[in-house]
Amino acid sequence: MTSLITLLADGKFHSGEELGNTLNISRAAIWKRLKKLENDTNLAIHSVRGKGYKLDSPLSLLDSELLDQQITQWPITVLPNISSTNTECFRLLNTGMPAPLAVTAEQQTAGKGRRGRQWVSPYGQNLYYSLLIGLKNGSHQLEGLSLTIGLAVLKTIKKMGLIQAGLKWPNDLLFDNKKLCGILLELTGDPADICHVVIGIGINVNMPQAITEINQPWTSLRQELGTLIDRNKLLVELNYSLSYYLKIHYQHGFKALKEEWQENNLWQHQIVNLLQGNQQITGKMLGVDDTGALKLLINNEIQYFNAGEVSLRLATSTHD
Ligand code: BTN
């Protein structure tokens, strides 16, 4: 299965005969495998008489051998398909695997977003990545952790060339007010003592605008940079950056990264609406405190808000 998709990944036409010869199977077997591939991945495979088969557009597939060699910070498991890379991290933890460890996949069938939302995860297009870490002094280390992760992902995205991307509190990455990346932290154990955190990161990498299931403005690196992004390179950079920022976070806490976070805060000093259940609070965003709490100026008084079941909007925007 993997080798057939690898052959088609260049987005060019390949005849049934050529595919059959390369994989050493009959043309009828190729046709069967193509149907299964279409079914498993939801990728559209075009068939043109006299030319052969091709994908809609080229894919940058994950190369597990290369990733295994180049990601040295922690072991990484590369899967073709999984319900959710976050869920898989918890499963591996339950089988006794030690943290840290990372999981990535070509496709998620039940990708999880914040506030119970679904995270749209088509095959071969984006980055679906989770890192399991263990924390000894849970509650202290958890302070601002999701903001630290946002910063690590932002650094990676800038390294890939999208230098105008920025942060939206607590941990979204936006470009031109469109979502580029989402982060979901899930915890198990005692947050006041020893616990494990799964850091789930979804980056829109090569996703075409044709995807319609996403109910908020979004963009992808490919759309903004105008070129197919090498997802292996992105993943190698991401692991490097996560390890760099996590080290600072473990040693000095989020406070050591607060200034850098604020420099990259897209809505610094802007008027924002904070939604807390049915309640809407409007204030000027002054930044964040040492624990990553949002600092708003409301009627000349500074108030602090923790991430959780709150969401932030620009006062002039209709989307979160
Ligand atoms: C958000 O709603 O903004 C958070 C989205 C987090 C998505 C990522 S994709 C990899 C990991 N696995 C999941 O099921 N969710 C996270």
Side-chain angles (χ1 to χ4, degrees), residues 16 26 59 61 64 73 78 153 169 195 201 250 256 263 280 287 302 307 310:
S26 69
L59 287 177
L61 294 172
S64 53
Q73 295 79 11
V78 183
V153 182
W169 184 87
C195 65
I201 300 170
Y250 292 150
E263 280 161 23
Q280 178 170 302
I302 296 179
V310 293

Side-chain angles (χ1 to χ4, degrees), residues 162-277:
L162 198 56
I163 49 171
Q164 307 94 327
L167 297 164
K168 175 196 157 193
W169 184 87
N171 51 20
D172 280 350
L173 268 79
L174 306 185
F175 176 87
D176 197 16
N177 277 330
K178 292 176 278 191
K179 187 151 168 168
L180 197 58
C181 165
I183 294 166
L184 176 70
L185 262 57
E186 295 187 281
L187 188 136
T188 180
D190 180 358
D193 190 13
I194 295 174
C195 65
H196 284 93
V197 180
V198 173
I199 299 165
I201 300 170
I203 307 178
N204 296 334
V205 185
N206 289 322
M207 193 153 61
Q209 198 62 55
I211 302 274
T212 53
E213 306 105 281
I214 306 176
N215 57 4
Q216 60 181 320
W218 65 274
T219 189
S220 67
L221 289 174
R222 183 181 186 177
Q223 277 175 46
E224 302 305 336
L225 293 171
T227 176
L228 185 76
I229 306 298
D230 180 342
R231 290 189 306 141
N232 294 299
K233 186 171 169 213
L234 177 65
L235 208 46
V236 170
E237 290 293 343
L238 177 66
N239 282 277
Y240 176 80
S241 185
L242 283 169
S243 148
Y244 171 82
Y245 279 95
L246 278 171
K247 240 176 238 161
I248 299 176
H249 186 99
Y250 292 150
Q251 280 173 14
H252 309 288
F254 173 71
K255 68 173 184 298
L257 297 164
K258 187 177 87 172
E259 289 306 319
E260 190 179 345
W261 194 94
Q262 289 182 157
E263 280 161 23
N264 288 285
N265 175 18
L266 289 169
W267 296 351
Q268 186 79 4
H269 304 310
Q270 300 217 42
I271 304 298
V272 294
N273 291 329
L274 186 79
L275 301 177
Q276 226 172 2

